[in-house]
Amino acid sequence: MEAGSVLATPQEVAEMGGTARDVAHQAAAWKRLPEDVARAQLALNASERELAAAAFDNIVEPSPVTIMVSPQTCGGAYLHTYYKINSDNQAMQCFAGAAGTYTLTNKFGRDYGSTTIRLQPSRKGRVYYDISSTYYWSTTRGPNDSNWYRFSMNYDQNIMVHRVQLY
């Protein structure tokens, strides 16, 4: 399991728009966990979900008029206040605004290889992503965190960042 992350529940995968197949795959991932690890993951998931409760009330799909700040305007005097996602091969996307769960305009992904995906949580939040079709939430980071966090992936894994939660 990715350090600094928690396994999403099958219910969350459904809530985030997962297919029946995605939900079944996630349920199987939970069943494969040793009992003590599953208990720890459930406790961490519940704690993280409580922190993000308001974000689940405002799920925003991408559109031309969202609160999400587009990659083209990701800069200026307030750059330090955005939740940022960046990679080696894609323009940075920045997020600001009300508490909510925001779908990326262009999902950040990496197929098998060496592309690095980074997060800078200047805003308080987390991301929803999958590694090889198993879904996770990063743990809460920010606000005022200017560190760049990288996903430490094996060369043969793929990853896709789907959403950002701000709270």
Side-chain angles (χ1 to χ4, degrees):
M1 191 161 319
E2 182 74 13
S5 295
V6 59
L7 194 60
T9 65
Q11 295 80 10
E12 288 172 327
V13 171
E15 190 175 14
M16 293 295 110
T19 65
R21 183 177 176 176
D22 294 334
V23 172
H25 178 86
Q26 197 70 11
W30 276 95
K31 287 180 183 175
R32 286 190 301 270
L33 292 176
E35 191 173 316
D36 60 329
V37 173
R39 271 195 310 273
Q41 284 292 296
L42 278 173
L44 180 56
N45 183 288
S47 173
E48 287 289 322
R49 184 155 178 118
E50 186 176 325
L51 285 173
F56 285 100
D57 295 335
N58 182 28
I59 297 178
V60 182
E61 297 302 327
S63 75
V65 292
T66 65
I67 298 170
M68 191 169 9
V69 179
S70 69
Q72 299 90 304
T73 60
C74 189
Y78 299 102
L79 183 62
H80 65 281
T81 64
Y82 298 139
Y83 193 106
K84 297 178 267 312
I85 302 176
N86 199 4
S87 78
D88 300 336
N89 62 359
Q90 198 171 330
M92 182 166 42
Q93 290 186 48
C94 296
F95 297 83
T101 303
Y102 298 91
T103 301
L104 277 64
T105 52
N106 295 306
K107 294 178 181 160
F108 274 78
R110 185 196 89 177
D111 290 328
Y112 310 99
S114 60
T115 300
T116 300
I117 298 173
R118 299 172 290 280
L119 309 172
Q120 188 183 53
S122 299
R123 289 280 309 263
K124 186 175 182 179
R126 63 184 185 161
V127 297
Y128 177 72
Y129 66 96
D130 79 271
I131 298 175
S132 303
S133 300
T134 301
Y135 291 85
Y136 301 89
W137 290 100
S138 65
T139 51
T140 300
R141 293 192 175 105
N144 305 317
D145 188 344
S146 59
N147 293 312
W148 283 98
Y149 295 90
R150 291 168 174 76
F151 288 96
S152 55
M153 307 295 300
N154 293 329
Y155 187 84
D156 61 348
Q157 290 178 313
N158 58 20
I159 182 172
M160 182 70 66
V161 179
H162 300 274
R163 296 179 185 255
V164 171
Q165 276 191 329
L166 300 178
Y167 37 97

